[in-house]
Amino acid sequence: MRKLRVFLVEDEALVAMLIEDLLHDMGHDVGPVASRIEDALGTARNGHFDVAIIDLNLDGRSSYPIADILLERGVPFIFATGYGASGLDPRYSGTPVLVKPFAATELEDILSRLQESI
């Protein structure tokens, strides 16, 4: 797997640090990290990264507007959620989902599949 630059959107600091560690252990770069929807929207519009991991619920707010921007830009992304894929809006039925808590191998498998489309 080639090295990816990952945009991470996560409002729980400990979870964000865990994901960052996993990504570094896999040999990837963690690019921008956002914990608030406002910051994430700006980065989604203008940031430089290969793929994004987006917490579905940011402090009680849906992160779908972030996903919409990434879709427009053609940037692949992964939803991370404790609710599972059944909680997704049907518009995103084909989007990969990491169900929290997840194992490093699950993240690695999804990144490997996404890399084929980058």
Side-chain angles (χ1 to χ4, degrees):
M1 187 178 339
R2 76 174 172 90
K3 186 179 211 171
L4 298 172
R5 182 165 168 78
V6 181
F7 172 33
L8 177 60
V9 181
E10 174 59 59
D11 62 349
E12 295 290 333
L14 289 176
V15 175
M17 287 188 299
L18 172 66
I19 295 171
E20 286 181 72
D21 287 346
L22 290 173
L23 290 166
H24 284 295
D25 289 348
M26 292 175 199
H28 301 299
D29 285 332
V30 178
V33 178
S35 61
R36 298 177 344 124
I37 196 159
E38 294 80 8
D39 299 331
L41 287 169
T43 301
R45 281 187 199 98
N46 304 309
H48 300 283
F49 45 87
D50 301 306
V51 63
I53 300 172
I54 308 170
D55 184 356
L56 189 56
N57 181 342
L58 293 174
D59 198 27
R61 296 173 65 187
S62 166
S63 62
Y64 291 134
I66 301 161
D68 291 338
I69 292 168
L70 296 176
L71 280 173
E72 288 174 19
R73 289 185 61 192
V75 176
F77 59 92
I78 302 163
F79 282 122
T81 178
Y83 305 109
S86 63
L88 283 183
D89 182 300
R91 295 179 296 157
Y92 302 99
S93 62
T95 303
V97 176
L98 281 168
V99 180
K100 295 177 187 177
F102 55 84
T105 55
E106 293 173 277
L107 176 57
E108 194 167 28
D109 288 346
I110 290 175
L111 287 174
S112 179
R113 281 186 276 137
L114 285 179
Q115 195 170 40
E116 295 171 8
S117 66
I118 298 174

